[in-house]
Amino acid sequence: IQYRLVITAKEHDKILRRLSLLTILFVYSNCALAAAQPINIALVGPFTGAYSAYGTQLLSGATQAVNDLNKAGGLKGVPIEITPIDDQCNPDIALAQAAKIIKEKRYQAVIGHVCSAATLATSNLYAQANLLVITPTSTNTKITQRQDRKSVV
């Protein structure tokens, strides 16, 4: 049995903001960061191409959540920074972007990928790097049914 959830754009943005905040809280609780160091989160999605509307929604919700949090003083005084990274919902581009994210070693977490194919393509790489990934929109059941999933929520 498969269920399909239909939500409004407003509800979608609210969900994304909440997921973003949960990601930030989880990362903060699991990272030893100096007060001057921001918490860096890679926001990966389709910011160009055929699916860019989804990336725009993701960026809008995450930006609002981060702005609200930072206006309130961040997390115990630690500011949050997000960096939008374009994968165009293309698994090959997503894999290349994931490799860059990991190589840079400046991100404490990833919010994304938007498309299931991109999430599936990158999940092993993130797991090997022990990098937390929260995908707010990928719906392929293979993502959550994997026995070896270590980092994708």
Side-chain angles (χ1 to χ4, degrees), residues 1-4 141:
I1 299 175
Q2 289 189 359
Y3 297 95
R4 184 177 180 141
T141 56

Side-chain angles (χ1 to χ4, degrees), residues 1 9 18 33-34 64 71 73 80 85 87 97 127 145 149:
I1 299 175
R18 287 183 178 171
L33 298 172
Q64 184 64 52
K71 283 180 187 175
I80 308 300
I85 299 171
D87 71 3
Q97 295 291 36
Q145 290 176 347
R149 70 182 172 109

Side-chain angles (χ1 to χ4, degrees), residues 123-124 127 133 141-153:
S123 60
N124 285 336
V133 178
T141 56
K142 291 179 184 177
I143 295 166
T144 56
Q145 290 176 347
R146 292 176 36 165
Q147 296 298 315
D148 63 337
R149 70 182 172 109
K150 297 178 184 176
S151 66
V152 178
V153 178

